[in-house]
Amino acid sequence: MRITKADRVGRPTGPWKVFALVATAQFMVVLDTAIINVALPVIKRDLDFGDSTIQWVVTAYVLAFGGFLLLGGRLADLLDRRRTLLMGMAGFTVVSLLIGVNSSVPLLIVLRGLQGLAAAVMSPAALSTVLTQFPEGHERSRALGFWSMVATGGAAVGLLLGGVLTQYGWRWNFFINVPVGVIVLALVPRLVPDHRPGSRDRRGLPDAPGAVLATAGLMAGVFAFSQAPEWGWANPLTLICFAACVILLAAFVFNERRAADPLVDLGIFTIRNVSGANGMMATVFAGNLGMFFLLTLYMQDIEHYSAIRTGLAFLPFPVILGLVSTRMAGLVRRFGFRRFLIMGPVLVIIGMLWVSFLPVHGSYAVHVLPGLLVMPLGYGMSFAPMYAAATAGTPQRFAGVTSGLIATSQQAGGALGLAVISGTAGTVTASLTHDALPQALTSGYNVAMAVAAGITAIAGLLAALVIRTPRRADTPVEPSIPGPSPQPASTRS
């Protein structure tokens, strides 16, 4: 009997093989959010970056990533998850190569933005593929536990790997993506199932005006927070940027209410767990990205750690995070996710407050390590339950946009948090003109780390006041999304 192409497309692939492949793609995305942190001082010296512009090597990537994730998720739903994943991975690989051979400061920032755009196309397709491979229940909880380890642990591993690669030149932090990308591109057509949207889902192109308004609004907000320490918080230019942010995001909401095929149906926010989990993700990751940024600067600029020593100093973080994250599926199934979403941020806050008393010429074992032992416990408790709360009970055909929404909250929160936290550090440092520079910088880092802890506290409040763990008999509130109704959640995950 002759095997047709359709037969090969329909042949099932083990879900964990698919998971391993798409998790590799996601790991690359997260890795490039953090891997560059350790190399920033080297890039600054090599390309002669100014102090006010070096942050944009990180921010350009995170902002483009967060700004276009909703569009990427909608593309995955409307076109084909496998095709969207391939498009994003191809763009990510090519741009990584171009960054590695580039020597221009403006072009590097532009290319980092394009790399974030490619990541925004790839990431929702990867997560939505996981959601469609694992039905709600214990197996999906396990998969999301491993996924959260990839999503958060990738940032910590990125610091270690970035330290190693920077020893051979900062460009290797981008060249490393090329062979991995080529391998993933070769394996995706073989392993990832074909997803052909039904006639209900083929309603035309995604909402381009919505994507433009959302991205422009986020960019205006991040730019305002980034420049406020230099311009002044009451400067007319700063206020104009904040006003533009509010107006553009309000226009986005208005557009989504009127669009025939919106980027995201706002009715999905009537599910309180979706709203609460996305708010938690934004605030937790805002503190997370800011924390890594500050500690990296402290270790290299104040304590004069080398890039590889900085990476090794962060090694306990991914180890503990991995141990906790992979055990969360059974715990969530037994106890529900709400209590972990409350306890997790509390532990993160304790760790952040510990490292908000850093001295000049401090001891790693006393002043840094305890925080790096406590914070991953909290993150490990938080991320898998947040993914579970944000995705449980939603229609499978909207897996892409749901995935894009939670990932948007993560990356947009990270971009805004990094701008606020780094801006706070800069403002405090600039005000301490009577202190020596190392002392002024350290004081700025300490105040900014306390701000990161305060932002994370918002996540704990959302968990306590908004998140609810559904019982088996509960039927989730359905969003006003056209098409078949979502299936009731059958587990506590």
Side-chain angles (χ1 to χ4, degrees):
M1 176 180 177
R2 183 180 178 183
I3 299 177
T4 66
K5 180 179 180 181
D7 294 327
R8 288 196 299 269
V9 167
R11 182 181 296 170
T13 303
W16 287 105
K17 290 182 180 179
V18 176
F19 177 90
L21 183 62
V22 297
T24 301
Q26 178 67 12
F27 183 77
M28 290 175 62
V29 168
V30 178
L31 196 70
D32 269 55
T33 308
I35 196 172
I36 200 67
N37 276 335
V38 176
L40 282 178
V42 179
I43 295 174
K44 181 180 175 181
R45 292 192 300 269
D46 188 26
L47 299 184
D48 196 25
F49 264 92
D51 291 335
S52 61
T53 56
I54 188 63
Q55 173 199 319
W56 283 94
V57 177
V58 178
T59 302
Y61 177 87
V62 175
L63 186 56
F65 187 13
F68 286 99
L69 273 165
L70 289 176
L71 180 61
R74 198 73 184 102
L75 282 171
D77 286 334
L78 289 175
L79 301 179
D80 175 5
R81 295 184 188 110
R82 186 171 71 182
R83 185 186 308 168
T84 307
L85 182 62
L86 286 169
M87 288 167 47
M89 177 58 73
F92 193 88
T93 304
V94 171
V95 175
S96 295
L97 177 62
L98 293 176
I99 293 174
V101 299
N102 168 66
S103 297
S104 165
V105 170
L107 185 57
L108 175 59
I109 295 175
V110 171
L111 288 173
R112 281 286 284 172
L114 291 175
Q115 191 182 34
L117 173 59
V121 174
M122 176 169 54
S123 184
L127 179 55
S128 62
T129 298
V130 171
L131 296 178
T132 55
Q133 287 291 297
F134 297 92
E136 286 189 34
H138 179 60
E139 283 299 291
R140 179 181 286 190
S141 296
R142 283 186 63 205
L144 290 176
F146 284 110
W147 191 263
S148 69
M149 182 178 67
V150 170
T152 313
V157 172
L159 293 170
L160 175 60
L161 184 59
V164 174
L165 293 175
T166 302
Q167 300 298 303
Y168 303 98
W170 65 266
R171 300 175 190 279
W172 284 101
N173 289 283
F174 300 101
F175 287 145
I176 191 66
N177 293 329
V178 177
V180 178
V182 170
I183 292 171
V184 172
L185 285 170
L187 292 178
V188 164
R190 296 173 178 267
L191 296 181
V192 175
D194 191 16
H195 162 70
R196 301 188 185 279
S199 58
R200 284 180 177 268
D201 300 322
R202 290 177 179 163
R203 293 188 295 272
L205 293 175
D207 176 24
V212 172
L213 289 170
T215 304
L218 290 171
M219 290 182 70
V222 172
F223 186 73
F225 279 115
S226 300
Q227 296 300 117
E230 182 179 344
W231 291 346
W233 292 91
N235 184 285
L237 290 175
T238 304
L239 297 178
I240 289 172
C241 288
F242 279 125
C245 171
V246 173
I247 292 170
L248 288 167
L249 292 180
F252 168 74
V253 173
F254 179 77
N255 178 80
E256 297 308 284
R257 290 184 178 277
R258 294 174 59 88
D261 186 23
L263 196 64
V264 54
D265 191 307
L266 299 179
I268 199 170
F269 290 107
T270 61
I271 304 177
R272 62 186 299 162
N273 281 357
V274 171
S275 300
N278 277 276
M280 285 192 67
M281 182 65 80
T283 50
V284 167
F285 208 73
N288 174 273
L289 196 58
M291 177 271 298
F292 277 127
F293 185 76
L294 292 175
L295 282 182
T296 301
L297 292 178
Y298 171 77
M299 290 178 182
Q300 294 198 36
D301 292 346
I302 305 300
E303 299 302 318
H304 304 295
Y305 278 33
S306 66
I308 191 168
R309 188 182 177 194
T310 302
L312 289 171
F314 281 100
L315 185 59
F317 195 102
V319 173
I320 296 172
L321 180 69
L323 291 174
V324 176
S325 296
T326 54
R327 285 162 174 75
M328 286 307 300
L331 293 173
V332 168
R333 186 167 56 129
R334 182 177 178 184
F335 300 109
F337 44 65
R338 184 171 179 266
R339 66 185 66 190
F340 298 109
L341 292 178
I342 296 174
M343 290 189 296
V346 170
L347 290 174
V348 173
I349 292 167
I350 292 172
M352 285 182 172
L353 291 177
W354 185 276
V355 295
S356 65
F357 294 95
L358 298 171
V360 178
H361 308 306
S363 165
Y364 169 76
V366 174
H367 299 106
V368 178
L369 181 60
L372 292 179
L373 296 177
V374 174
M375 281 187 280
L377 289 174
Y379 285 125
M381 283 186 185
S382 301
F383 275 92
M386 276 191 281
Y387 281 115
T391 59
T394 56
Q396 190 177 86
R397 75 186 188 286
F398 283 99
V401 73
T402 306
S403 305
L405 188 62
I406 190 69
T408 296
S409 300
Q410 181 179 9
Q411 297 304 321
L416 288 169
L418 178 59
V420 171
I421 291 166
S422 62
T424 300
T427 300
V428 173
T429 298
S431 70
L432 299 175
T433 55
H434 59 281
D435 290 345
L437 182 58
Q439 182 61 53
L441 287 170
T442 304
S443 298
Y445 298 156
N446 287 336
V447 174
M449 190 65 76
V451 171
I455 294 173
T456 306
I458 298 173
L461 291 175
L462 287 172
L465 300 176
V466 178
I467 298 292
R468 294 292 181 268
T469 298
R471 293 184 173 87
R472 293 179 183 273
D474 289 345
T475 301
V477 179
E478 297 181 6
S480 57
I481 301 174
S485 300
Q487 295 300 314
S490 59
T491 70
R492 304 185 69 185
S493 55

